[in-house]
């Protein structure tokens, strides 16, 4: 079951109708039940939903055991008389907690890796004759659970937070299940934090028409970006990269990559608008996941604006854990002794590369994604090392801060992202190499203009895209300048306000990509 399906709309409407009729103390129960129904419907059958049940139960048990360990540690420390004894007691309890957490990580990351990478590993196991007929048949039936990347990392974050005493362990397993499986966010996020969501689910929720209208507006805007922009761009991109054509000009490849950049952004941010819009109707605030990344003037800023909650997760649970670990501290001390000037950056550089290796592996199961992560990791590390030099370089080159320089920096960021997206959109490294060579080598501007309509989009479709992207750009500029577009829209006189609503709704209905074998429910980031 996906957002853009009749089944989801029915589920949403029924849940909304019951939600505000129930007492506030029962509202979370309804959301938990509906999240379970949504998940089972999304997987197609009950047995296939076993993955999230195992994750929820193991996370609940681990959280409770960690809480008991922390309570026992405090009790034991209260009876200690000197520092050395306290240090020994604390170390013993910390080791037990680490063993518990590692066991949880191994189990749940094992489920994630098995579901995500088994289809890629299976051919190599067969070729090496490492599988018996029974194990081959078993592994062949493995299906990647819906939202496994999301709920696994969310569960790990909860376990780490309990161990760090940043939140209390949940005593009710159903409430923990709701945290992991909340249906607006289960498939693609955003990643939320337990303490924040616990407070959101616990507080009283009262019906408010303005909030309902605002949530529906956001949902429709997300559907507009998905159906009118992303899926239309996807037709051109798919015909270029997956159509099996030869002798494609570098110009067509360049257009296809630019379209893919816009498609991925419209598709993923459109999903997030829908997820946050649905959640807003229940008066549950999910964290923002995008902040207009293509206005960024550096790659670091781009990734602070793109998939914000995933970046924060990796920073808090990978980067911070590595920097504060014994290995990270030893590396930092050794580097400072050997390289006094550069040494202070070594731990941060190693942590950054580690984060981007994990980010590449999280996004995909091919070498291309690993190289994509290494590419961004190197750029981030270079930026960190060279940052102190930027001011002096600008002064020597007589570069003045202003709109022109900001645009140059934005263009530089677009080019870096452009080069990276070739890696993850092409079907293989060989095809990626062909694209890298074709764009500067056989650009063919005249031939490109003459053949633009040969890849699934006619003139009408291009004009429609131009209009839709122009509207999207206008809204983005307004938001970048601090304007709340939905509030401004709601404040318009009634005829103008409803005129805008009807215009967007009709544009969505008339020009959205529907019908045939085209899967309007599929979102690009589901595969990540």
């Amino acid at each position: 079951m996906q957002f853009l399906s009749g089944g989801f709309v029915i589920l949403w409407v029924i849940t909304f109708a019951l939600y505000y009729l129930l007492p506030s103390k029962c509202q979370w129960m309804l959301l938990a039940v509906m999240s379970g129904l949504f998940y089972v419907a999304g997987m197609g059958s009950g047995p296939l939903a076993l993955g999230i049940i195992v994750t929820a139960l193991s996370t609940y048990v681990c959280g409770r055991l960690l809480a008991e360990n922390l309570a026992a540690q405090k009790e034991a420390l209260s009876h200690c008389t000197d520092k050395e004894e306290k240090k020994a007691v604390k170390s013993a309890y910390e080791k037990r907690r680490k063993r518990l957490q590692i066991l949880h990580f191994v189990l749940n990351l094992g489920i994630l890796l098995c579901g995500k990478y088994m289809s890629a590993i299976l051919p190599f196991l067969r070729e090496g004759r490492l599988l018996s007929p029974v194990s081959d048949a078993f592994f062949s039936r493995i299906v990647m659970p819906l939202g496994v990347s999301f709920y696994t990392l969310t569960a790990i974050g909860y376990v780490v937070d309990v161990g760090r005493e940043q939140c209390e362990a949940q005593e009710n397993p159903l409430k923990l299940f709701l945290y992991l499986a909340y249906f607006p966010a289960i498939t693609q996020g955003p990643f939320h934090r337990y303490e924040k969501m616990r407070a959101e689910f616990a507080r009283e929720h009262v019906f408010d028409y303005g909030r309902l209208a605002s949530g529906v507006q956001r949902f429709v805007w997300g559907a507009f970006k998905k159906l009118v922009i992303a899926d239309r761009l996807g037709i051109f991109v798919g015909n270029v990269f997956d159509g099996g054509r030869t002798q494609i000009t570098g110009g067509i490849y360049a257009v296809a990559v630019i379209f893919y950049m816009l498609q991925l952004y419209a598709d993923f941010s459109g999903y997030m608008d829908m997820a946050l819009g649905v959640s807003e109707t229940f008066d549950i605030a999910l964290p923002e996941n995008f902040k207009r990344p293509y206005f960024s003037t550096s790659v670091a800023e781009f990734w602070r604006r793109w998939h914000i909650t995933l970046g924060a997760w990796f920073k808090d649970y990978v980067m911070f854990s590595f920097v504060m670990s014994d290995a990270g501290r030893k590396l930092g001390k050794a580097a400072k002794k050997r390289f006094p000037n550069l040494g202070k950056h070594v731990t941060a550089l190693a942590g950054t590369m580690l984060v981007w290796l994990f980010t590449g592996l999280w996004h995909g199961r091919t070498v291309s994604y690993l190289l994509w992560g290494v590419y961004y990791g190197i750029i981030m590390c270079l930026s960190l090392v060279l940052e102190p030099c930027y001011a002096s370089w600008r002064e020597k080159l007589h570069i003045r801060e202003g709109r022109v320089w900001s645009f140059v920096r934005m263009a530089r960021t677009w080019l870096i992202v452009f080069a990276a997206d070739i890696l993850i959109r092409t079907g293989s490294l060989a095809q990626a190499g062909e694209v890298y060579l074709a764009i500067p080598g056989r650009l063919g501007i005249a031939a490109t203009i003459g053949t633009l309509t040969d890849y699934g989009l006619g003139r009408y479709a291009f004009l429609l895209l131009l209009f839709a992207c122009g509207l999207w750009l206008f809204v983005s500029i307004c938001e970048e300048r601090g304007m709340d577009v939905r509030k401004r829209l709601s404040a318009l006189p009634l005829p103008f306000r409803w005129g805008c609503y009807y215009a967007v709704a009709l544009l969505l209905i008339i020009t959205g990509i529907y019908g045939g074998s085209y899967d309007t429910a599929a979102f690009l980031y589901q595969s990540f």
Side-chain angles (χ1 to χ4, degrees):
M1 186 187 296
Q2 296 282 3
F3 283 176
L4 296 171
S5 66
F8 176 80
V9 174
I10 292 170
L11 178 76
W12 181 15
V13 171
I14 291 173
T15 306
F16 179 82
L18 296 174
Y19 186 73
Y20 290 106
L21 293 176
L22 291 172
S24 59
K25 63 181 180 180
C26 299
Q27 289 173 331
W28 71 267
M29 297 180 192
L30 175 68
L31 291 179
V33 170
M34 290 306 189
S35 295
L37 290 174
F38 172 83
Y39 196 84
V40 171
M43 289 302 296
S45 67
L48 291 178
L50 186 62
I52 196 170
I53 302 298
V54 171
T55 297
L57 286 175
S58 64
T59 303
Y60 173 75
V61 171
C62 186
R64 297 304 306 153
L65 291 175
L66 288 172
E68 290 174 7
N69 176 282
L70 287 165
Q73 175 183 296
K74 290 177 182 177
E75 176 66 23
L77 287 173
S78 66
H79 298 294
C80 294
T81 56
D82 59 73
K83 289 183 179 180
E84 289 301 321
E85 186 182 0
K86 285 185 177 181
K87 187 176 179 180
V89 168
K90 190 174 181 181
S91 177
Y93 278 99
E94 281 181 351
K95 286 179 180 178
R96 293 174 198 167
R97 289 200 297 276
K98 282 184 180 179
R99 285 197 289 268
L100 276 172
Q101 290 174 324
I102 289 170
L103 185 62
H104 177 271
F105 299 163
V106 169
L107 172 63
N108 288 285
L109 287 175
I111 295 172
L112 170 61
L113 295 175
C114 190
K116 195 164 187 174
Y117 292 98
M118 185 50 64
S119 62
I121 297 171
L122 203 55
F124 296 100
L125 296 177
R126 286 171 178 160
E127 189 176 338
R129 298 181 181 179
L130 299 174
L131 293 172
S132 67
V134 175
S135 58
D136 191 353
F138 171 77
F139 287 123
S140 297
R141 289 197 296 269
I142 289 177
V143 179
M144 188 167 75
L146 179 69
V148 63
S149 296
F150 165 78
Y151 68 70
T152 300
L153 296 192
T154 304
I156 289 173
Y158 165 78
V159 166
V160 173
D161 283 348
V162 172
R164 291 175 178 172
E165 296 187 84
Q166 293 179 349
C167 71
E168 293 183 2
Q170 177 55 253
E171 296 181 0
N172 188 325
L174 190 58
K175 287 185 177 181
L176 185 62
F177 172 79
L178 173 59
Y179 166 67
L180 296 176
Y182 182 47
F183 74 90
I186 181 62
T187 54
Q188 297 179 62
F191 290 89
H192 41 251
R193 302 302 172 91
Y194 171 74
E195 195 59 30
K196 173 71 167 59
M197 293 305 294
R198 182 197 62 77
E200 284 292 316
F201 291 132
R203 66 182 176 82
E204 184 178 5
H205 305 284
V206 180
F207 173 76
D208 180 80
Y209 174 77
R211 186 172 56 244
L212 169 63
S214 179
V216 172
Q217 285 173 18
R218 187 157 193 178
F219 183 90
V220 172
W221 178 243
F224 172 82
K225 289 198 287 187
K226 161 68 175 168
L227 294 177
V228 179
I229 300 175
D231 287 352
R232 184 164 275 102
L233 290 168
I235 295 172
F236 186 94
V237 174
N239 282 327
V240 172
F241 290 114
D242 306 325
R245 302 193 187 196
T246 58
Q247 297 302 316
I248 297 175
T249 66
I252 290 293
Y253 275 136
V255 172
V257 176
I258 292 169
F259 278 12
Y260 176 67
M261 292 165 66
L262 294 173
Q263 179 199 3
L264 188 58
Y265 179 33
D267 188 280
F268 193 22
S269 66
Y271 171 89
M272 287 299 159
D273 284 330
M274 286 185 268
L276 271 67
V278 170
S279 192
E280 189 175 350
T281 64
F282 300 127
D283 193 25
I284 303 291
L286 289 174
E288 292 290 342
N289 214 29
F290 285 92
K291 192 178 179 182
R292 300 163 297 282
Y294 285 109
F295 287 108
S296 304
T297 56
S298 69
V299 176
E301 184 187 357
F302 178 88
W303 284 103
R304 287 195 296 269
R305 289 169 172 249
W306 178 290
H307 209 343
I308 297 167
T309 57
L310 177 65
W313 192 96
F314 276 115
K315 179 182 176 183
D316 291 346
Y317 301 116
V318 176
M319 181 80 166
F320 182 77
S321 296
F322 172 75
V323 170
M324 297 305 294
S325 68
D326 291 338
R329 289 172 178 171
K330 288 177 182 177
L331 178 64
K333 287 180 181 179
K336 285 178 182 177
K337 287 181 181 178
R338 193 160 186 179
F339 309 103
N341 294 325
L342 189 62
K344 61 183 179 181
H345 296 301
V346 168
T347 306
L349 294 175
T352 299
M353 284 303 303
L354 188 64
V355 163
W356 278 101
L357 283 172
F358 280 126
T359 303
L361 289 171
W362 183 85
H363 275 85
R365 61 193 91 177
T366 64
V367 177
S368 296
Y369 280 100
L370 184 62
L371 292 175
W372 176 86
V374 171
Y375 169 84
Y376 273 121
I378 291 171
I379 289 174
M380 294 290 193
C381 289
L382 286 173
S383 179
L384 181 64
V385 171
L386 297 176
E387 188 175 5
C389 306
Y390 291 155
S392 62
W393 289 350
R394 283 198 302 269
E395 186 177 345
K396 289 177 182 178
L397 295 171
H398 305 290
I399 295 173
R400 295 180 181 179
E401 294 289 346
R403 291 184 180 180
V404 174
W405 178 236
S406 293
F407 181 79
V408 170
R409 295 174 68 198
M410 280 193 283
R412 178 195 60 189
T413 304
W414 301 336
L415 282 172
I416 292 171
V417 176
F418 177 93
D421 283 354
I422 292 173
L423 272 175
I424 63 173
R425 182 55 186 89
T426 47
S428 64
L429 289 177
Q431 190 184 26
E434 179 189 339
V435 175
Y436 284 126
L437 292 173
I439 291 176
R442 55 173 196 269
L443 197 58
I445 295 175
T448 298
I449 295 172
T451 57
L452 270 177
T453 56
D454 294 345
Y455 296 89
L457 296 182
R459 292 183 180 180
Y460 165 76
F462 274 104
L463 288 173
L464 179 60
L465 271 175
L466 185 64
F467 172 76
C469 288
L471 178 60
W472 184 23
L473 177 62
F474 173 74
V475 172
S476 298
I477 291 172
C478 290
E479 290 176 338
E480 186 69 9
R481 292 177 176 176
M483 181 189 298
D484 189 324
V485 176
R486 285 184 292 160
K487 279 187 178 180
R488 184 66 65 91
L489 188 60
S490 299
L492 290 174
L494 190 139
F496 293 104
R497 182 168 73 246
W498 281 96
C500 292
Y501 294 163
Y502 280 122
V504 173
L506 285 173
L507 192 62
L508 177 61
I509 293 168
I510 295 170
T511 64
I513 303 295
Y514 308 98
S517 60
Y518 196 80
D519 186 5
T520 58
F523 287 85
L524 290 176
Y525 246 76
Q526 283 182 175
S527 61
F528 299 157

